[in-house]
């Protein structure tokens, strides 16, 4: 009945999930009067339902989808018609058509898996209108920001509980309230947590916020994720220096100065990033970056073309030999070779429609390597978000996913914020797992950033206009009085 992490005491896992349940109930009690807040809380706390088994988890997914549709109908958000909203709807319709064309032509798709995958994107489509309505029409932006802040604070507290219960052991799949079966969220949750912190503090960070950031890094540490030590410092620097403009103060200077310290402790605390492969191993910068390059681009960092086929070169006894004439090594090369296939004009029908969802999500590592793909990977873990789209719904799915999921970022008025958020999702989809696009809770954060930042700009413009009008009125009054005095 239960789904639990093997090799760990079952009773301790129950204690952890009880902690998650209490956090959910506490937040539901606070926000029970707002249906959008309740929906967001349900989306951010799936681990309890996953833990209770597949039957309960499937029921949970149905309830979340039904509640999403109910909230959309209840709030009557469909009347929010504008050219931008019509463009968003058009992108979703295009994605829907391509999705069902692909899955109807590919094999290995059951009704259950088709609609469970499609439901993710339907929820994202509805969330766009729900958050637009809540922030714009109902002026609930501050409340939702408070909710998001508390949600990510809970993720930190759950990680502290996890650290205590399991004696600091790095357990990949137990990630806050979001996952007990996959560890990729250990990298993405800290990124989203900082984005919300940046909005919550209204861009004015203090030294106390360093504790929050340290908590976000703890999430990555307790899941043993390597990328978080590279990516989160870059994200922080991008927001603090680029997005809000270079306005240095002591806190920004201290934050920038802390980046090398984060790299240092990241290398020592993550076993795969130090030569000793243990927590508190030695710091070796060259080893750290060599590992990152190999992880992204394979052994020796090479994947080349030979007679229009992909070739993986491996190091054997100090010399490079051909390992598999149709294999790309590492996540970076998976994306590179896929782009080459897309623009080569040599893609076949299977490349365009994919193999179906079971090929990606119901196969083990050995079975995945046997799939009849034009582009193969050295191992299943190298499948980026883009490559997963290719396997499941083909190049058609890749193109429509990019259009649908990247489109909202171009609606952001704050240009620098737009490019930073686009950079984050581009890295995650093309070079990492693509989990941001497949998780409605994460897309909710991006959509919140879209509408909340746009609202702030509109309010600032309105206040500026009001001040200008008041100044004109004062000047007019002064001139009238002055004229009367002269007479």
């Amino acid at each position: 009945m239960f789904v639990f992490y093997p090799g760990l005491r079952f009773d301790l896992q129950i204690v952890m999930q009880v902690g998650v349940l209490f956090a959910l109930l506490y937040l539901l009690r606070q926000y029970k009067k707002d249906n959008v807040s309740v929906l967001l809380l349900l989306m951010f706390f799936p681990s309890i339902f996953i833990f209770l088994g597949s039957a309960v988890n499937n029921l949970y997914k149905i309830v979340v989808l039904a509640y999403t549709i109910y909230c959309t109908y209840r709030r009557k958000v469909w009347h929010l018609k504008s050219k931008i909203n019509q463009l968003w709807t058009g992108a979703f319709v295009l994605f829907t058509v391509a999705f069902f064309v692909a899955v109807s032509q590919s094999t290995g798709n059951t009704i259950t898996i088709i609609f469970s995958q499609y439901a993710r994107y339907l929820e994202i489509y509805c969330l766009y209108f729900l958050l637009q309505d809540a922030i714009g029409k109902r002026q609930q932006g501050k409340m939702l920001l408070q909710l998001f802040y508390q949600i990510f604070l809970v993720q930190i507290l759950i990680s502290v509980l996890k650290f205590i219960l399991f004696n600091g052991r790095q357990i990949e799949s137990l990630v806050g309230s979001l996952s007990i079966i996959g560890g990729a969220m250990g990298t993405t949750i800290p990124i989203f947590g900082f984005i919300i912190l940046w909005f919550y503090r209204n861009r004015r960070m203090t030294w106390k916020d360093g504790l929050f950031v340290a908590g976000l890094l703890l999430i990555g540490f307790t899941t043993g994720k390597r990328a978080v030590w590279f990516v989160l410092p870059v994200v922080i620097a991008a927001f603090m220096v680029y997005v809000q403009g270079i306005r240095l103060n002591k806190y920004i200077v201290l934050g920038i100065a802390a980046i090398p310290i984060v790299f240092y402790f990241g290398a020592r605390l993550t076993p795969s990033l130090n030569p000793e492969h243990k927590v508190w191993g030695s710091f070796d910068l060259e080893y750290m970056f060599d590992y990152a390059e190999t992880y992204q681009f394979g052994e020796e960092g090479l994947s080349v073309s030979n007679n229009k086929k992909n070739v993986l070169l491996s190091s054997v006894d100090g010399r490079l030999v051909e390992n598999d004439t149709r294999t790309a090594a590492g996540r970076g090369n998976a994306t590179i070779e896929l782009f080459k296939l897309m623009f080569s004009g040599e893609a076949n029908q299977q490349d365009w429609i994919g193999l179906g969802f079971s090929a990606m999500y119901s196969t083990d590592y050995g079975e995945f390597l046997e799939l009849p793909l034009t582009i193969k990977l050295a191992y299943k873990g190298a499948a980026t978000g883009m490559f997963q789209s290719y396997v499941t719904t083909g190049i058609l799915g890749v193109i429509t996913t990019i259009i649908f999921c990247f489109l909202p970022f171009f609606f952001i008025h704050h240009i620098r914020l737009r490019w930073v958020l686009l950079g984050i999702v581009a890295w995650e989809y093309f070079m990492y797992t693509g989990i941001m696009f497949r998780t409605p809770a994460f897309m909710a954060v991006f959509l919140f950033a879209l509408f909340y930042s746009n609202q702030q700009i509109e309010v600032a413009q309105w206040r500026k206009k009001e001040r200008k009008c008041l100044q004109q009125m004062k000047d007019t009054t002064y001139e009238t009085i002055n004229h009367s005095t002269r007479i």
Side-chain angles (χ1 to χ4, degrees):
M1 178 181 178
F2 294 103
V3 176
F4 61 94
Y5 196 93
L8 299 178
R9 286 176 54 183
F10 186 63
D11 58 335
L12 295 182
Q13 295 186 58
I14 292 179
V15 171
M16 182 173 172
Q17 294 306 317
V18 168
V20 173
L21 177 60
F22 275 118
L24 174 60
L25 294 176
Y26 172 77
L27 292 174
L28 282 174
R29 183 180 178 183
Q30 279 189 284
Y31 297 94
K32 61 183 178 181
K33 294 183 179 180
D34 180 64
N35 50 22
V36 173
S37 297
V38 171
L39 174 62
L40 291 172
L41 284 170
L42 290 176
M43 288 181 171
F44 270 96
F45 284 79
S47 69
I48 307 167
F49 307 99
I50 299 172
F51 181 75
L52 293 175
S54 59
V56 175
N57 187 35
N58 289 335
L59 179 61
Y60 155 77
K61 291 179 180 179
I62 294 171
V63 169
V64 171
L65 176 61
Y67 194 62
T68 303
I69 296 173
Y70 166 78
C71 291
T72 306
Y73 170 77
R74 180 73 176 174
R75 292 209 168 201
K76 296 180 173 60
V77 298
W78 304 114
H79 73 280
L80 298 171
K81 295 180 180 179
S82 67
K83 290 183 179 179
I84 288 179
N85 289 352
Q86 291 172 358
L87 190 61
W88 170 249
T89 297
F92 179 67
V93 170
L94 178 65
F95 171 84
T96 298
V97 171
F99 180 93
F100 284 104
V101 167
V103 299
S104 65
Q105 298 298 315
S106 58
T107 59
N109 295 305
T110 64
I111 296 296
T112 302
I113 196 170
I114 289 173
F115 283 98
S116 67
Q117 293 297 320
Y118 181 71
R120 301 169 183 263
Y121 301 99
L122 178 58
E123 290 168 11
I124 292 169
Y125 173 71
C126 292
L127 278 170
Y128 173 93
F129 291 102
L130 288 170
L131 290 171
Q132 183 184 51
D133 174 72
I135 296 171
K137 178 182 175 182
R138 302 172 191 266
Q139 301 294 309
Q140 295 177 328
K142 294 292 184 182
M143 184 195 70
L144 290 175
L145 180 57
Q146 176 73 26
L147 171 63
F148 278 120
Y149 180 79
Q150 290 179 315
I151 287 174
F152 285 101
L153 183 60
V154 164
Q155 306 309 311
I156 294 173
L157 296 177
I158 294 172
S159 294
V160 172
L161 177 62
K162 172 184 172 182
F163 184 86
I164 295 171
L165 289 175
F166 304 110
N167 299 317
R169 179 176 172 182
Q170 294 178 319
I171 305 164
E172 183 176 8
S173 296
L174 300 179
V175 191
S177 65
L178 281 145
S179 177
I180 64 171
I181 55 176
M185 292 184 179
T187 298
T188 53
I189 289 177
I191 295 172
F192 286 109
F194 179 79
I195 293 173
I196 291 300
L197 175 66
W198 187 77
F199 279 108
Y200 188 74
R201 295 302 185 194
N202 196 22
R203 311 178 187 184
R204 299 181 181 92
M205 302 291 184
T206 67
W207 66 270
K208 294 180 181 178
D209 295 316
L211 296 176
F212 192 93
V213 174
L216 296 176
L217 289 170
L218 178 66
I219 297 173
F221 169 75
T222 58
T223 53
K225 304 310 292 182
R226 300 164 290 263
V228 68
W229 301 101
F230 295 93
V231 177
L232 187 58
V234 174
V235 171
I236 293 174
F239 272 87
M240 299 301 294
V241 177
Y242 176 70
V243 175
Q244 64 191 52
I246 302 177
R247 299 174 182 175
L248 297 180
N249 57 43
K250 60 181 179 180
Y251 300 114
I252 294 178
V253 172
L254 287 174
I256 295 174
I259 292 177
I261 300 175
V262 172
F263 277 118
Y264 173 79
F265 282 103
R268 296 199 62 187
L269 291 170
T270 307
S272 58
L273 293 180
N274 60 68
E276 293 80 15
H277 299 285
K278 66 178 184 180
V279 176
W280 287 118
S282 63
F283 177 77
D284 188 328
L285 189 62
E286 183 178 359
Y287 177 88
M288 187 178 179
F289 282 100
D290 284 346
Y291 175 86
E293 181 184 8
T294 301
Y295 184 77
Q296 282 293 337
F297 297 100
E299 192 72 27
E300 301 295 329
L302 292 176
S303 180
V304 299
S305 296
N306 182 22
N307 296 327
K308 299 183 180 180
K309 293 183 178 181
N310 303 323
V311 177
L312 170 65
L313 300 181
S314 300
S315 178
V316 178
D317 296 328
R319 58 191 179 88
L320 294 177
V321 298
E322 185 175 309
N323 182 32
D324 188 321
T325 57
R326 302 190 68 82
T327 304
R331 286 174 171 161
N333 277 325
T335 295
I336 291 171
E337 297 301 336
L338 184 52
F339 270 118
K340 289 180 179 179
L341 176 65
M342 290 173 62
F343 293 103
S344 67
E346 299 175 355
N348 56 38
Q349 180 178 344
Q350 179 181 282
D351 292 324
W352 279 98
I353 62 174
L355 295 175
F357 293 103
S358 296
M360 187 70 232
Y361 303 121
S362 300
T363 56
D364 58 27
Y365 275 57
E367 293 169 338
F368 181 80
L369 294 178
E370 298 300 320
L371 293 176
L373 295 167
T374 300
I375 299 175
K376 290 191 175 185
L377 300 182
Y379 65 103
K380 188 177 181 180
T384 61
M386 182 183 183
F387 199 88
Q388 290 180 46
S389 297
Y390 162 69
V391 174
T392 55
T393 53
I395 296 174
L396 193 63
V398 170
I399 295 172
T400 54
T401 298
I402 290 173
I403 294 173
F404 174 60
C405 293
F406 277 84
L407 182 63
F409 298 93
F410 291 96
F411 301 158
I412 298 174
H413 298 332
H414 193 304
I415 296 177
R416 293 189 177 190
L417 177 64
R418 176 198 304 170
W419 290 118
V420 169
L421 293 181
L422 273 170
I424 292 172
V425 296
W427 161 78
E428 211 278 333
Y429 183 68
F430 295 121
M431 303 298 288
Y432 203 54
T433 63
I435 200 169
M436 290 183 179
F437 288 165
R438 298 196 311 275
T439 307
F442 290 159
M443 285 299 290
V445 176
F446 282 133
L447 294 172
F448 170 83
L450 158 64
F451 295 115
Y452 188 75
S453 64
N454 284 357
Q455 184 197 48
Q456 286 185 312
I457 290 175
E458 290 169 3
V459 169
Q461 291 174 342
W462 178 82
R463 287 176 177 172
K464 183 179 180 180
K465 184 178 180 180
E466 285 294 300
R467 286 194 299 268
K468 185 177 180 179
C469 290
L470 287 173
Q471 187 61 46
Q472 289 175 346
M473 290 175 62
K474 289 180 181 179
D475 293 342
T476 302
T477 303
Y478 174 79
E479 288 294 330
T480 302
I481 295 172
N482 191 35
H483 178 71
S484 300
T485 303
R486 289 197 303 269
I487 293 175

